Amino acid sequence: MTDSPRRYLKPSVFWSIRQGFPRWLQPILIAASLIVPVLIWSFLSYGGYVNPKFLPTPTEVISTGITMLGDGELMVDIFASLGRVMAGFIFAAIIGIPVGIAMGTFYSMDSLLGGFVRTARYMPIAAFVPLIIIWAGIDEVSKILIIFFGIVFYNATMIADAVKFIPNETLNVAYTLGANRLDLLRSVILPATLPNILDTLRVNIAGAWNFLVLSELIAAQNGLGFTIVRSQRYLQTDKAMFCIVVICVIGLATDFAFRLAFRLWLPWAESKMS
Amino acid sequence: MQTTFPTTLSSSFTHAEPKLEIRNIVKTFGVGKDAVTAVDNVSLKIAPNEFSCIVGPSGCGKSTLLSIAAGLTRATAGEILVDGTQVPGPGADRGMVFQHYTLFPWLSVADNVAFGLKIKGMPKAEQKHKVAYYLDIVGLSNQAKAYPKALSGGMKQRVAIARALANDPEVLLMDEPFGALDSQTKEQLQAFFHDLWAKTHITVLMITHDVEEAIFLSQRVFIMDRNGQIKKTIPINLPAHRELDMKLTADFLDYKREIVHLLR
Ligand SMILES: Nc1ncnc2c1ncn2[C@@H]1O[C@H](COP(=O)(O)OP(=O)(O)O)[C@@H](O)[C@H]1O
Ligand SMILES: [Mg+2]
């Protein structure tokens, strides 16, 4: 008999993998993850270790922000950007959701659309910006198109994958209850993927903000991305940083709204959102 | 073999026009060298009101055969007939209960049971009546509004059975419906299902790997072998009225011994 020592899993709190996590530790770690960067920022800026032109102090950023909010121009920027993001996002949902469901449901559609959609996902949208401007001009349409093309292919592929994760049994049981293909789409596939659709949109709206800034880099008169670029020209790092904070806050708010919608509309679903 | 109990049902099975006929079904997966024949020329006639089970070692082709009978898998050869008419695909005439993922998680228990009725376009009032009736039968009236995630495994299977029955299928097909349950729940459901069958006399073809379950519920047990063929058909001549204690009787154990030996 070999005398190999018995090995046991060592208990751990911090490194626990699905073995329970103490409730009190969660807020502490979340707070730390947010406070530590601010501390580093404060240390570098208040301590005078970097040129204040490059890195303003938190108080400077906040006071600049208050002035910006005060003179009303920031609100114009916020609404301009919000409008572009929403328009691009909604069009990408209107096209991406049905295309994704079709791709996930029908083999034929997966071949017909999937080849294009999956390839298009790898096309760097930034490289298309000059072309989009040539085709669609420099007004709102091109900005919305950049956001639209930036996320629509992700919407479609993520939703197609969600449809493919519906267990065969779920579809088969519907057939044996007399469902035809239209019934299956409407009464099984759509409701079954609704949680994933909501989740996909929630993830990809973050992408929409990325592409917004890209779209406002070129030929814009207003918007948060535009203001960030203009601030760079005048070395107004405090303004740029406040705009970034505003984008973060809007992002968190939409994230929260999606989570709330998920909980209210889909009480049956078991959320594993992150 | 033994058989001392007179049963009216099982003796008449072979003469009646079959409710479900599985005729010369062959199913081969893959091609060339990798081809696997999962079902090899199986023919079965299931009589109206009959409860029959297929038992066989795992991987012998039971699920494939049932799926073909339901119209969910296309056979390589052979045909499926319901009431003497060949059926081209799945339909509400052959209800199905699976082992897993049986309920629609986005629908309440009542809406799950109503699923097939809604598709048929049954009037709302009639739907409601029918759902209430079948939920009462499976003892889940109090859970009507609950979502599946709040139910235990046994309750989920009862809902799945209620949903299949509410749709008035000609034949009920079940693929190891109690296979994922603990032994106590399983026995409860066996007794429950036997009583249900005794009341409704719905035609059932069920797959199980539990020999006792097969004997307890069936009028006939089909033994499938590793070649994907039906090796033997065993009529179960036990009293029509059955209780769980019957599993301990000498006659029952004789059947069990015979089947267990056949499966070896
Ligand atoms: N979709 C499939 N593709 C290839 N082989 C399959 C497929 N489905 C089943 N098989 C094979 O057919 C045989 C029978 O499977 P199955 O009907 O599930 O057996 P059982 O239900 O009796 O356990 C197995 O050898 C299995 O590997
Ligand atoms: Mg099986």
Side-chain angles (χ1 to χ4, degrees):
Chain A
M1 217 182 99
T2 52
D3 214 17
S4 63
R6 295 186 187 187
R7 295 179 55 197
Y8 299 101
L9 182 68
K10 287 196 196 80
S12 171
V13 174
F14 193 87
W15 297 111
S16 160
I17 303 174
R18 300 200 193 169
Q19 290 185 309
F21 191 62
R23 268 181 166 274
W24 55 266
L25 193 52
Q26 196 187 6
I28 293 176
L29 294 180
I30 291 174
S33 76
L34 296 173
I35 289 167
V36 167
V38 175
L39 281 180
I40 295 174
W41 175 19
S42 305
F43 176 74
L44 290 176
S45 56
Y46 291 123
Y49 293 100
V50 285
N51 186 337
K53 278 235 160 68
F54 297 153
L55 191 69
T57 61
T59 36
E60 268 167 11
V61 171
I62 289 167
S63 66
T64 306
I66 291 168
T67 337
M68 286 168 83
L69 282 168
D71 61 25
E73 221 167 283
L74 188 65
M75 282 330 256
V76 175
D77 288 331
I78 290 176
F79 281 112
S81 291
L82 210 54
R84 288 166 191 147
V85 165
M86 280 302 151
F89 173 78
I90 287 168
F91 283 125
I94 289 173
I95 304 293
I97 294 171
V99 167
I101 288 179
M103 277 167 56
T105 304
F106 304 103
Y107 298 115
S108 56
M109 289 295 141
D110 198 37
S111 314
L112 201 64
L113 304 170
F116 174 74
V117 168
R118 281 178 233 279
T119 311
R121 205 169 49 146
Y122 287 103
M123 295 192 308
I125 196 69
F128 274 85
V129 167
L131 285 175
I132 289 176
I133 288 171
I134 291 172
W135 294 331
I138 53 166
D139 56 1
E140 293 302 308
V141 175
S142 62
K143 296 182 184 60
I144 292 167
L145 277 180
I146 289 167
I147 296 167
F148 169 81
F149 281 121
I151 58 176
V152 69
F153 303 116
Y154 285 91
N155 277 352
T157 43
M158 286 164 79
I159 290 166
D161 288 345
V163 174
K164 288 176 188 174
F165 271 107
I166 302 174
N168 285 341
E169 284 92 337
T170 304
L171 302 184
N172 283 339
V173 92
Y175 283 131
T176 63
L177 288 167
N180 61 26
R181 294 190 183 89
L182 188 64
D183 295 324
L184 203 72
L185 260 174
R186 262 194 323 215
S187 309
V188 183
I189 291 174
L190 190 63
T193 40
L194 217 50
N196 306 84
I197 290 175
L198 220 54
D199 219 13
T200 299
L201 296 181
R202 185 181 65 91
V203 169
N204 288 344
I205 201 164
W209 281 97
N210 270 314
F211 294 111
L212 168 89
V213 176
L214 180 68
S215 78
E216 288 181 352
L217 286 180
I218 335 107
Q221 275 77 52
N222 50 27
L224 291 167
F226 163 75
T227 306
I228 291 171
V229 178
R230 197 188 44 186
S231 309
Q232 179 225 349
R233 208 170 300 151
Y234 301 109
L235 220 65
Q236 294 166 323
T237 39
D238 48 350
K239 268 194 168 178
M241 287 182 78
F242 191 74
C243 287
I244 293 169
V245 170
V246 169
I247 293 177
C248 280
V249 169
I250 297 173
L252 281 178
T254 46
D255 199 86
F256 178 78
F258 271 109
R259 283 167 198 273
L260 196 66
F262 193 101
R263 256 198 320 201
L264 295 179
W265 290 346
L266 310 168
W268 56 270
E270 321 204 21
S271 168
K272 277 195 177 164
M273 274 192 186
S274 58
Chain B
M1 253 191 82
Q2 61 308 131
T3 85
T4 40
F5 296 96
T7 57
T8 48
L9 276 167
S10 59
S11 51
S12 64
F13 285 150
T14 38
H15 308 300
E17 145 133 27
K19 193 85 202 163
L20 172 72
E21 186 175 350
I22 294 172
R23 197 185 275 172
N24 305 117
I25 291 291
V26 177
K27 179 66 186 183
T28 307
F29 289 109
V31 283
K33 265 203 317 230
D34 303 326
V36 179
T37 300
V39 179
D40 189 4
N41 199 17
V42 169
S43 295
L44 295 175
K45 289 179 182 175
I46 312 297
N49 311 328
E50 182 183 15
F51 196 126
S52 51
C53 274
I54 302 175
V55 295
S58 125
C60 74
K62 306 181 295 294
S63 294
T64 306
L65 181 64
L66 204 72
S67 176
I68 290 170
L72 299 167
T73 299
R74 205 168 298 168
T76 309
E79 55 229 33
I80 302 295
L81 298 89
V82 176
D83 289 324
T85 311
Q86 199 183 330
V87 285
D93 56 346
R94 282 148 296 147
M96 183 107 187
V97 176
F98 292 97
Q99 181 175 356
H100 293 294
Y101 307 113
T102 45
L103 298 183
F104 302 123
W106 58 91
L107 296 179
S108 69
V109 163
D111 287 340
N112 260 283
V113 177
F115 186 89
L117 312 178
K118 215 172 257 173
I119 279 174
K120 263 188 221 166
M122 182 183 278
K124 274 263 148 57
E126 206 179 325
Q127 277 184 35
K128 229 176 147 183
H129 180 78
K130 209 147 192 185
V131 168
Y133 176 78
Y134 280 101
L135 281 183
D136 181 47
I137 281 192
V138 298
L140 288 170
S141 301
N142 290 334
Q143 273 75 26
K145 291 210 172 81
Y147 282 108
K149 74 171 179 184
L151 303 185
S152 70
M155 287 162 131
K156 280 182 188 155
Q157 287 312 74
R158 268 145 68 194
V159 177
I161 291 166
R163 181 178 59 186
L165 293 178
N167 223 25
D168 282 327
E170 300 292 331
V171 190
L172 183 60
L173 305 170
M174 301 203 285
D175 191 349
E176 306 203 20
F178 312 141
L181 306 176
D182 63 275
S183 55
Q184 269 166 314
T185 311
K186 189 167 160 174
E187 286 215 311
Q188 275 172 12
L189 278 194
Q190 288 168 4
F192 156 78
F193 203 84
H194 174 73
D195 293 345
L196 186 68
W197 178 80
K199 266 186 265 174
T200 56
H201 277 300
I202 180 177
T203 312
V204 182
L205 177 58
M206 170 169 149
I207 290 173
T208 175
H209 56 242
D210 183 327
V211 174
E212 287 192 4
E213 181 173 288
I215 303 167
F216 178 72
L217 289 170
S218 302
Q219 268 66 57
R220 279 197 296 168
V221 175
F222 306 109
I223 316 288
M224 204 161 168
D225 62 18
R226 284 202 171 75
N227 305 321
Q229 295 169 329
I230 299 295
K231 189 176 182 180
K232 196 157 186 210
T233 303
I234 299 177
I236 307 292
N237 293 308
L238 292 171
H241 177 74
R242 300 177 186 180
E243 275 167 22
L244 286 171
D245 270 353
M246 177 185 267
K247 291 185 178 182
L248 305 171
T249 62
D251 287 332
F252 192 98
L253 292 172
D254 284 340
Y255 281 120
K256 184 175 174 185
R257 191 170 302 117
E258 183 186 3
I259 294 173
V260 167
H261 280 292
L262 281 167
L263 288 174
R264 272 194 190 134

